[in-house]
Structures are given as C-alpha cells and as structure tokens.
Amino acid sequence: MTMLWLSHWLAVLVSITLGGLVWLNNPRRLVNQCFLALSLLLALWLIIVGGGVLSGKASIVQTIVRYSTTTAAMIPVLFNLLRVAMTGRAQTWVQALRLNAWGLATAIAIGFVCFSPWMVVGVRVPAPGSTTPFPEPIYGFGIHLYAAYMSTTLLLLVCFAALGAGNGA
C-alpha cells in the first residue's frame, strides 16, 4: 500500500462523506442535492483517474483518459447547477436543468469528442528506468476543443459568480 494509493482513496472517501453529510442536513433542499451530486461526480472522477494512474498499465490508459475527460466535462455543469440553486433561481431539478440546458448540451457534445478518435491517438509507454513510471497519452486535435470548453466554462462560472455577488444573490 503506497502513499499515493492511500491519499487517493482518502480523497474519494472525503468527497463522498462531505457530500453525504451536507445532503443529510436537509435532503429535500435543492442546494444540498446539487452539492451531493457534485461531490459524487468528483469522487467518480477521482476513482477513474486513480484507476488509470494506479494501475500503471498502458493498455487501459486510453480508455481511462476518455472516461475521465468526459466525467470532468460535467464538473462545470454541476458547479453551475449548484450556483443556480444557491442563488434561488431554481427550486427544482427541472428548473435548474432548464436554466443550464446550453451547458448540459455542450458538455454532452464534448463527451462525444472525448470518445472520438480525435481525443487520444495513442499511448507512450515509458522505457524501463525512466523518470516517470506512468504511461502517457498522446493527444489529438480534440484536446484543444476540450481545453477551450473547460477554459470557457470555468471563465463563465467565475463571471456569473462575480455578477451574482454584485447583485446580492
């Protein structure tokens, strides 16, 4: 059992526990439900990434990268759902999803890019005795679309939060 393995599973446990405790505080409140969903998504992403890194097998790195990037593409969507719920603009999941329809559609489209041949074109296996023991994915053009999506959504989240804070929401 290595320190990397322990710290990885500790982070997964903390994410699930924190989400569960917030949800248990008031399970019917949309903010608590959104926080639980975000916490579970982050835990899922950690499990996927950890599965690839901790396995150290080149044969599964390409698949792990596809799943982890698709999962990570949903993180800004859930942060926005949480933001919408916290500002009181949505009282139900249907309202929150309607307010975030474009973000959800874009994340799904990016998910298709992640599973296309444009995202990962191969895997570079380290030579024996190299400084990094982990296989390294070789990215295609899709990584640029993915980076543009993540940068734009994170910038929009910051802008929305700043505008909401200025309005007292």
Side-chain angles (χ1 to χ4, degrees):
M1 207 179 299
T2 66
M3 189 58 109
L4 178 63
W5 188 88
L6 284 173
S7 61
H8 172 261
W9 287 109
L10 180 63
V12 170
L13 181 66
V14 166
S15 180
I16 293 171
T17 302
L18 187 60
L21 289 173
V22 168
W23 179 74
L24 284 173
N25 187 34
N26 188 351
R28 293 184 183 184
R29 189 171 174 216
L30 182 61
V31 173
N32 296 26
Q33 294 170 6
C34 288
F35 189 84
L36 174 64
L38 178 61
S39 298
L40 292 175
L41 182 69
L42 291 171
L44 176 63
W45 178 77
L46 283 168
I47 290 169
I48 293 169
V49 169
V53 171
L54 297 176
S55 76
K57 295 180 183 174
S59 60
I60 66 167
V61 169
Q62 195 166 359
T63 303
I64 292 295
V65 168
R66 294 181 191 286
Y67 280 103
S68 67
T69 53
T70 302
T71 305
M74 292 302 295
I75 292 171
V77 173
L78 283 176
F79 266 113
N80 197 45
L81 287 173
L82 180 61
R83 182 192 64 80
V84 166
M86 289 174 69
T87 59
R89 293 180 55 211
Q91 303 302 319
T92 66
W93 275 100
V94 173
Q95 292 173 341
L97 290 171
R98 277 192 191 138
L99 287 170
N100 204 20
W102 282 103
L104 189 58
T106 308
I108 291 170
I110 288 296
F112 283 114
V113 170
C114 293
F115 277 92
S116 75
W118 302 332
M119 188 64 164
V120 181
V121 295
V123 176
R124 183 177 301 121
V125 179
S130 69
T131 57
T132 177
F134 304 114
E136 180 182 348
I138 302 168
Y139 294 102
F141 177 75
I143 195 68
H144 300 293
L145 296 173
Y146 183 80
Y149 164 76
M150 290 300 279
S151 300
T152 303
T153 55
L154 294 174
L155 180 64
L156 285 172
L157 277 173
V158 169
C159 290
F160 290 156
L163 290 173
N167 295 332

